[in-house]
Amino acid sequence: MNALIYIMDPMCSWCWAFAPELQAIRCRFAKLPVSFIMGGLAPDSTDPMDKGLAQQIQATWQQIEARTGTVFNHDFWTLNSPRRATYDACRAVIAATRIRPDAQEAMIDAIQRGYYLQAKNPSDPKVLTALAQQIGLEAELFDQYMGDEMTQGMLQQHLAIKGSLGVQGFPTLLLQKGEKLHWLSTGYRQADGIIAQLEKLTGEH
């Protein structure tokens, strides 16, 4: 059984750029299941983001825009007090999936759109709860799952998978073909190259 493994973080800007590429790959290989692994870009922190790092991330957004045409709302940096913390966003995806398995991708999309297009701060748990409600999840249950030990344990499992694969950055996409793993992207890559590689690996032309 072939399957795609996608290691990502909802607050990774290159993953936001890769979203339409992944969509194109999945349209071409509609029967290939995808496992989403939350890679955990930055651990929990209540400290404001260092000014130098904030400038570095802003520059990355501009670089991604120039290279890929991906849209970002740069008002984020003036409307929020950014924190270098993405584990809550990862937990939000896991919590949403526990409530309703088909909510996984909707939650990822809601976080990405909230962050990159609407200048909302997904490091803020209240923002995540509002986004969960937006996709039809019950706020109280979502908050409960966000804070419980099972979600935290599941995040640790995701991080362990990332570690065991030796993943260094996001987005990372692999094809699991039987016992073998084939690397399709380590970082952003356009869909056409990945599709051509997958056609060879799967024999689907």
Side-chain angles (χ1 to χ4, degrees), residues 2-202:
N2 296 338
L4 292 171
I5 301 170
Y6 182 41
I7 300 99
M8 59 91 70
D9 188 299
M11 291 181 69
C12 157
S13 46
W14 281 108
C15 294
W16 169 234
F18 188 66
E21 308 300 323
L22 182 66
Q23 195 59 43
I25 294 159
R26 295 178 75 188
C27 282
R28 172 64 186 83
F29 295 93
K31 290 178 185 171
L32 266 185
V34 185
S35 292
F36 286 79
I37 305 297
M38 298 299 108
L41 195 58
D44 296 319
S45 172
T46 54
D47 298 334
M49 191 183 289
D50 170 80
K51 197 174 255 185
L53 180 60
Q55 288 170 345
Q56 196 181 316
I57 296 172
Q58 287 177 70
T60 300
W61 287 16
Q62 287 160 353
Q63 180 194 346
I64 294 170
E65 273 184 331
R67 182 176 156 188
T68 68
T70 304
V71 176
F72 290 86
N73 185 340
H74 297 276
D75 289 345
F76 172 83
W77 300 99
T78 50
L79 294 174
N80 298 279
S81 301
R83 297 204 317 277
R84 184 66 171 162
T86 74
Y87 278 24
D88 264 343
C90 291
R91 277 190 283 263
V93 175
I94 292 167
T97 310
R98 283 178 61 200
I99 295 168
R100 217 180 65 215
D102 69 346
Q104 181 180 44
E105 291 178 59
M107 193 69 207
I108 292 169
D109 185 60
I111 293 169
Q112 289 178 327
R113 288 176 181 278
Y115 184 22
Y116 295 115
L117 298 180
Q118 296 154 9
K120 293 174 181 175
N121 189 357
S123 293
D124 181 346
K126 287 179 186 169
V127 169
L128 293 167
T129 302
L131 292 170
Q133 285 181 290
Q134 197 177 290
I135 63 163
L137 301 180
E138 204 265 307
E140 202 172 311
L141 186 59
F142 176 79
D143 287 345
Q144 181 190 320
Y145 279 16
M146 272 287 285
D148 72 13
E149 284 181 18
M150 186 183 278
T151 295
Q152 180 56 23
M154 289 171 80
L155 175 59
Q156 292 308 316
Q157 287 172 4
H158 282 236
L159 298 175
I161 292 167
K162 178 193 79 171
S164 70
L165 293 170
V167 171
Q168 299 294 319
F170 317 125
T172 292
L173 186 66
L174 301 98
L175 172 70
Q176 181 161 23
K177 191 181 177 188
E179 296 294 304
K180 273 197 159 184
L181 287 172
H182 299 270
W183 293 75
L184 302 170
S185 81
T186 51
Y188 177 85
R189 186 184 175 197
Q190 288 184 316
D192 50 5
I194 296 174
I195 287 169
Q197 189 180 351
L198 276 170
E199 284 174 345
K200 282 181 187 170
L201 288 167
T202 62

